[in-house]
């Protein structure tokens, strides 16, 4: 407690206690270990996505997404008739976020690599890919580009995990991964 000034006003000229030195050294060493672990675990742990981010206007992003959908839609799905798009393996693919949907549904091939572009048309949304543990924040005016290679066929859900208004809980998208 330092309600009252210390007895010895010039306390910083006192010799440092042994135990104090010890704690300073422990704290320093530990902080250095943590510091090195960040880049090390990014590479060795394979837990974080190596993603890229670029500036892009929402209209431009929507144009590219629509162009892809127009070219590669294979069918429609659900009550809303949302297009299911099957783009060629190895290509750039797009999914846009807006109140309150992920558009369109993507159908990808197992063991193929894609560059997935994500951006928002309006507010901040959260791209959470289930059942994988992948989370990305999706903002308007920026596109996130993630290189993905699905290694398991099946159905994936894209759940919005940033609160974005009254329809937030209904904002669920879909990615199908099929064997080829
Ligand atoms: Cu979009 Cu919550």
């Amino acid at each position: 407690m330092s309600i009252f000034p210390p007895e010895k006003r010039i306390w910083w000229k006192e010799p440092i206690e042994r135990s104090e030195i010890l704690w300073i050294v422990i704290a320093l060493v530990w902080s250095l270990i943590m510091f090195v672990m960040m880049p090390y675990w990014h590479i060795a742990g394979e837990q974080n996505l190596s993603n890229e981010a670029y500036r892009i206007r929402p209209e431009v992003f929507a144009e590219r997404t629509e162009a892809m959908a127009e070219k590669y839609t294979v069918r429609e799905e659900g009550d809303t008739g949302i297009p299911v798009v099957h783009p060629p393996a190895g290509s750039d693919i797009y999914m846009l976020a807006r109140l309150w949907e992920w558009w369109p549904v993507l159908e990808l091939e197992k063991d193929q690599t894609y560059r997935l572009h994500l951006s928002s048309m309006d507010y901040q949304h959260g791209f959470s890919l289930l059942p994988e543990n992948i989370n990305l924040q999706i903002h308007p005016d920026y596109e996130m580009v993630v290189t993905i290679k699905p290694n398991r066929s099946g159905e994936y859900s894209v759940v919005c995990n940033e609160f974005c208004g009254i329809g937030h809980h209904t904002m669920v998208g879909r990615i199908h991964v099929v064997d080829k």
Side-chain angles (χ1 to χ4, degrees):
M1 290 282 281
S2 53
I3 296 173
F4 305 105
E7 240 170 83
K8 291 178 185 162
R9 298 296 295 254
I10 321 243
W11 54 268
W12 58 88
K13 286 198 175 154
E14 296 291 308
I16 303 175
E17 289 270 341
R18 247 216 162 133
S19 60
E20 221 171 344
I21 286 273
L22 183 70
W23 281 113
I24 289 168
V25 169
I26 289 171
L28 180 70
V29 169
W30 185 241
S31 70
L32 288 174
I33 290 171
M34 304 263 268
F35 178 74
V36 173
M37 280 305 281
M38 284 193 283
Y40 170 73
W41 208 243
H42 178 79
I43 296 157
E46 292 183 345
Q47 290 186 325
N48 301 347
L49 297 172
S50 290
N51 50 41
E52 307 155 48
Y54 305 99
R55 282 208 84 118
I56 190 164
R57 280 184 295 117
E59 311 88 78
V60 177
F61 192 86
E63 240 166 62
R64 290 183 192 170
T65 311
E66 274 154 24
M68 173 199 69
E70 206 163 292
K71 235 171 159 179
Y72 302 117
T73 295
V74 286
R75 61 178 186 277
E76 288 177 353
E77 197 174 82
D79 307 332
T80 52
I82 185 168
V84 179
V85 179
H86 188 129
S91 64
D92 283 84
I93 59 177
Y94 299 84
M95 186 180 263
L96 61 82
R98 65 184 163 212
L99 303 175
W100 287 281
E101 65 171 355
W102 297 96
W103 194 93
V105 172
L106 294 172
E107 187 178 82
L108 310 178
E109 291 167 25
K110 191 183 159 226
D111 295 327
Q112 298 292 336
T113 306
Y114 300 86
R115 275 169 64 77
L116 172 62
H117 298 243
L118 298 160
S119 189
S120 168
M121 298 296 104
D122 35 52
Y123 303 105
Q124 181 183 357
H125 299 281
F127 177 93
S128 171
L129 186 67
L130 301 175
E132 304 299 319
N133 184 18
I134 290 176
N135 291 283
L136 290 162
Q137 299 205 354
I138 307 303
H139 299 269
D141 292 317
Y142 286 93
E143 64 169 351
M144 299 294 273
V145 186
V146 194
T147 304
I148 55 166
K149 188 179 180 183
N151 57 3
R152 197 167 50 76
S153 56
E155 274 208 10
Y156 295 81
S157 296
V158 179
V159 174
C160 181
N161 63 3
E162 273 313 326
F163 183 72
C164 57
I166 196 156
H168 162 69
H169 63 287
T170 65
M171 189 168 165
V172 181
R174 206 158 286 283
I175 296 177
H176 302 290
V177 176
V178 295
D179 290 302
K180 261 284 137 128

